[in-house]
Amino acid sequence: MSFDGIMTRAITTELQNTLTSGRISKVYQPHKTDLVFTIRANGKNHKLLLSANPSFARVHLTEHTYENPDTPPMFCMLLRKHLEGAFIEKIEQLDLERIITITVKNRDEIGDETTKVLYIEIMGRHSNIILVDQKSQRIVDSIKHIPSFQNRHRTILPGFEYIMPPAQEKTDPFTVTNTDEFVSKISWNEGKLDKQLVSRFSGFSPLIAKEIVHRAGLSVKNEVADAFFSVMKQLSAQEYEPQMIVNDKKEYFSVLSLHHVTGESRSFDTVSHMLDRYFYGKADRDRIKQQANDLEKYLSNEYDKIKKKIGKLEKELEQTHNAEEYQRKGELLTAYMYLAKKGDHEVEVEDYFTEDQPLVKITLDPLKSPADNAQSYFKKYGKLKKSVSIIKDQIEKAKNELLYFERLIVQMDSASMKDVEEIREELGEGGYLKHRQSKNKKKQNKTPQPEKFTSTDGTEILVGKNNKQNDYLTFKLSRANETWLHTKDIPGSHVLIRSSSPSETAIKEAAVLAGFFSKAKNSSSVPVDFTLVKHVKKPNGAKPGFVIYDNQQTLFVTPDEDLVFRLKK
């Protein structure tokens, strides 16, 4: 289910019940399209996430902590000026549109009461968050500026009048009261009933429309009408059933039970909990993919180059297997030198190295004497024998480098922007990338911050999201008697349990984290080694993040994103 009008209605109702009369105490803007409000309501602090992300626009309460920039963006500063300390008067949905308004009352610099309206428009790439003065209906500012040449219908700039997005000529499904009225909205000879429901009724996404058609069974008028009114009755009574369905192809979220979608169903007690879980990490990964696309390409290209280099070296090593053959020919030519003379192209001799002594032909350079030809074979033998150790050494180094880049590629899969910057720094320090000089030296020398989780029994668990964090976690932050974990022979994160005597639960949950933050995150029965920190060592000259360890035990786990989500909260 997309964030359609029905989903907007469900989350609006939840926010009305939770936040109305609440006081906005803090405003943050962790990303250029996202806002987080801390709101004190009903004796509790709530975090409200508003996102105008083009791919993941949404509104819901969240339990996650978001990293904020050192310097707040201008829009964030403006919202702090107008909204911090303000009381929420009402939260509404405009008709069945994907537009939520939050009306707030506050006092200006001279103490006069003012009313502002925050419009959250959830419309894919056209999503926006706009602050409007209620009295003048003028835009104070918006998270995205839309000049007239981009949109002829309305201009979204400070000082301009706020104009609603163009209305869609659709019927509000909540106003349809009888079968005849419903039947009249559908062209029954046209077919494609699910698409007709989307195009005729406001608030419907394809997922809801397909569910109605599925429940109808037979595509006849009365059955479809009955299925429509059954769904509308549930929605009218606001009997929502927040759930996610996960199958091999994708994840779905809905406030209705979906009978037409197969997969594992997970229920939630609130719409916000469902949305918080569904969007967990998705927007961050999408944002990182865009901003760190160059780094991902570089890592992938380097990995492929090293792989090709190893293949080439292994072919060269294969050729060295002919070294003994060159020595044998040199020996035979020396023994039967009297049979050859300068100008010969080949000579046939008995191979006394073989039991039945067959005749073998030895190719000669006609411009060289038999003795020089023999020396030529001995030189080829000596050169190849000497190159064996060099090639083997190069192959070993290349394989270590391949594993290093493989670890970096795995780390990029779950990296935050902070993690990505640390990976860039590491590559700069290693001479792979041009080292970026930070203007802020304090920021450049910032201590790595491994990600924190809490096991169900309250034990702190740390996870290194890149090599800088892994080395810091294992060799600086840890104590000798704490438990350290890593996937067995699989690239992944270093995991540390901050306890000298962790419970079985903490060890198992830490092992699940190790499996999740590894190359095997989508596998089952992943082997995870655990041992005490004192048994973990870093070899001299090893790449960042590389360690050896002993005295380990192995646990088999299946990575579970839901558990990771719960432990993070």
Side-chain angles (χ1 to χ4, degrees):
M1 184 176 190
S2 59
F3 210 110
D4 59 12
I6 299 301
M7 182 62 66
T8 306
R9 184 175 186 266
I11 194 64
T12 301
T13 300
E14 186 176 298
L15 298 182
Q16 286 169 343
N17 296 335
T18 308
L19 302 179
T20 302
S21 300
R23 182 175 180 269
I24 301 172
S25 56
K26 294 287 183 184
V27 178
Y28 300 101
Q29 188 174 348
H31 305 292
K32 66 178 182 179
T33 59
D34 298 354
L35 296 167
V36 176
F37 290 1
T38 301
I39 300 168
R40 183 74 179 174
N42 301 312
K44 183 182 174 184
N45 284 334
H46 305 269
K47 281 191 288 189
L48 175 65
L49 174 68
L50 313 174
S51 177
N53 183 294
S55 302
F56 303 103
R58 63 203 189 277
V59 178
H60 58 83
L61 297 171
T62 181
E63 295 182 14
H64 290 297
T65 300
Y66 294 85
E67 189 177 343
N68 297 299
D70 294 335
T71 304
M74 290 299 294
F75 186 60
C76 177
M77 296 294 286
L78 179 133
L79 291 182
R80 287 179 178 179
K81 174 185 173 184
H82 290 281
L83 300 185
E84 283 191 349
F87 286 90
I88 296 174
E89 190 177 55
K90 56 186 176 180
I91 301 173
E92 297 175 303
Q93 178 187 19
L94 299 184
D95 299 323
L96 259 187
E97 298 294 337
R98 291 170 295 166
I99 301 175
I100 298 175
T101 63
I102 302 176
T103 304
V104 301
K105 285 191 178 295
N106 204 357
R107 294 193 177 275
D108 60 20
E109 296 91 338
I110 59 174
D112 291 338
E113 190 174 74
T114 62
T115 303
K116 299 286 190 298
V117 182
L118 195 65
Y119 287 82
I120 304 105
E121 301 176 350
I122 307 164
M123 299 176 178
R125 63 190 179 90
H126 301 295
S127 299
N128 212 335
I129 301 170
I130 307 164
L131 183 66
V132 175
D133 180 78
Q134 188 186 58
K135 187 176 180 181
S136 66
Q137 281 299 297
R138 297 281 172 182
I139 296 170
V140 180
D141 207 347
S142 59
I143 206 163
K144 295 178 186 175
H145 288 175
I146 312 294
S148 57
F149 66 82
Q150 285 186 14
N151 189 326
R152 285 181 293 178
H153 177 74
R154 61 181 191 151
T155 300
I156 309 297
L157 288 171
F160 279 76
E161 181 184 358
Y162 176 77
I163 297 171
M164 290 280 293
Q168 294 182 314
E169 300 302 322
K170 295 184 181 182
T171 301
D172 183 340
F174 290 100
T175 64
V176 179
T177 57
N178 58 68
T179 300
D180 290 340
E181 189 180 355
F182 171 76
V183 168
S184 68
K185 302 290 182 186
I186 305 295
S187 300
W188 296 95
N189 296 326
E190 188 180 318
K192 298 180 180 177
L193 290 179
D194 56 329
K195 291 186 177 179
Q196 287 196 58
L197 290 172
V198 172
S199 63
R200 304 286 197 279
F201 295 100
S202 60
F204 278 11
S205 65
L207 203 63
I208 285 184
K210 285 176 182 175
E211 179 62 24
I212 291 172
V213 172
H214 177 82
R215 291 187 187 187
L218 298 171
S219 297
V220 294
K221 297 178 183 180
N222 286 344
E223 279 78 0
V224 177
D226 288 346
F228 171 82
F229 285 114
S230 171
V231 167
M232 294 314 300
K233 182 181 178 183
Q234 181 182 347
L235 294 175
S236 296
Q238 297 188 353
E239 295 172 351
Y240 301 121
E241 301 172 273
Q243 62 180 255
M244 276 178 61
I245 296 179
V246 181
N247 58 35
D248 293 338
K249 294 181 180 178
K250 62 185 294 187
E251 293 179 335
Y252 303 84
F253 65 95
S254 173
V255 291
L256 291 171
S257 288
L258 300 177
H259 303 290
H260 76 284
V261 178
T262 58
E264 181 190 348
S265 179
R266 306 171 190 174
S267 298
F268 298 85
D269 55 349
T270 69
V271 180
S272 283
H273 284 159
M274 175 191 70
L275 294 172
D276 209 22
R277 171 64 188 84
Y278 177 84
F279 287 105
Y280 175 60
K282 286 184 172 64
D284 284 339
R285 285 194 289 274
D286 182 69
R287 191 178 294 113
I288 289 161
K289 244 184 167 30
Q290 293 174 25
Q291 296 182 18
N293 185 49
D294 63 322
L295 184 57
E296 287 192 327
K297 276 186 180 176
Y298 169 78
L299 293 175
S300 177
N301 290 339
E302 286 299 303
Y303 182 84
D304 291 341
K305 276 163 59 178
I306 297 165
K307 213 169 181 182
K308 285 178 184 175
K309 181 182 177 181
I310 291 171
K312 189 177 175 183
L313 287 168
E314 285 177 339
K315 280 184 181 178
E316 287 181 19
L317 188 61
E318 267 183 49
Q319 291 173 1
T320 64
H321 296 158
N322 296 324
E324 302 299 331
E325 179 70 12
Y326 289 131
Q327 184 188 31
R328 187 170 65 88
K329 286 182 177 180
E331 296 284 2
L332 289 172
L333 191 53
T334 302
Y336 294 103
M337 200 171 291
Y338 62 88
L339 294 177
K341 62 182 183 295
K342 190 173 182 179
D344 288 345
H345 287 82
E346 63 179 30
V347 64
E348 192 172 56
V349 300
E350 287 185 354
D351 183 3
Y352 57 77
F353 290 104
T354 308
E355 190 177 341
D356 55 356
Q357 297 189 357
L359 291 173
V360 294
K361 289 180 180 179
I362 300 174
T363 304
L364 302 174
D365 183 344
L367 300 177
K368 293 181 179 178
S369 68
D372 288 341
N373 270 294
Q375 285 303 311
S376 180
Y377 277 111
F378 286 131
K379 281 179 184 176
K380 285 179 182 177
Y381 163 73
K383 188 177 179 182
L384 286 175
K385 285 295 283 183
K386 190 176 179 182
S387 66
V388 168
S389 61
I390 295 171
I391 293 171
K392 283 183 176 178
D393 186 52
Q394 287 178 330
I395 289 173
E396 186 181 355
K397 285 179 180 176
K399 283 183 175 178
N400 287 336
E401 199 164 32
L402 190 73
L403 285 172
Y404 173 64
F405 275 90
E406 187 178 19
R407 288 200 302 271
L408 292 175
I409 290 167
V410 170
Q411 290 165 9
M412 287 293 291
D413 189 49
S414 59
S416 67
M417 278 313 299
K418 174 176 67 70
D419 301 328
V420 169
E421 287 311 308
E422 287 179 344
I423 290 172
R424 285 190 194 276
E425 282 179 27
E426 177 188 326
L427 288 166
E429 290 163 3
Y432 292 101
L433 288 177
K434 189 174 180 181
H435 200 42
R436 292 183 175 183
Q437 291 296 325
S438 175
K439 293 179 183 177
N440 188 339
K441 289 184 180 178
K442 286 184 180 177
K443 187 178 177 183
Q444 191 177 13
N445 297 325
K446 203 171 180 182
T447 303
Q449 297 294 321
E451 194 155 349
K452 293 181 181 179
F453 295 85
T454 306
S455 71
T456 51
D457 66 6
T459 307
E460 185 179 64
I461 302 171
L462 301 180
V463 176
K465 300 286 291 300
N466 56 47
N467 291 325
K468 278 181 171 285
Q469 292 178 23
N470 285 335
D471 282 348
Y472 179 73
L473 175 152
T474 303
F475 300 110
K476 299 284 186 185
L477 203 59
S478 63
R479 299 184 184 91
N481 61 349
E482 291 178 336
T483 300
W484 181 93
L485 303 92
H486 194 284
T487 41
K488 183 180 180 67
D489 301 324
I490 299 169
S493 293
H494 295 198
V495 177
L496 180 69
I497 304 174
R498 305 305 317 259
S499 170
S500 56
S501 55
S503 66
E504 284 187 21
T505 299
I507 292 173
K508 183 162 185 186
E509 289 176 346
V512 170
L513 289 170
F516 183 80
F517 291 103
S518 79
K519 191 179 180 182
K521 69 179 292 184
N522 296 316
S523 306
S524 58
S525 195
V526 178
V528 177
D529 288 339
F530 64 97
T531 187
L532 296 180
V533 169
K534 65 184 178 182
H535 299 306
V536 183
K537 303 286 186 291
K538 189 173 188 68
N540 290 333
K543 292 278 188 188
F546 182 80
V547 297
I548 54 174
Y549 55 88
D550 53 29
N551 292 287
Q552 72 271 22
Q553 298 178 63
T554 305
L555 192 63
F556 288 85
V557 297
T558 298
D560 181 352
E561 191 171 8
D562 283 336
L563 178 61
V564 174
F565 179 82
R566 291 197 300 273
L567 299 183
K568 180 62 181 171
K569 281 164 50 176

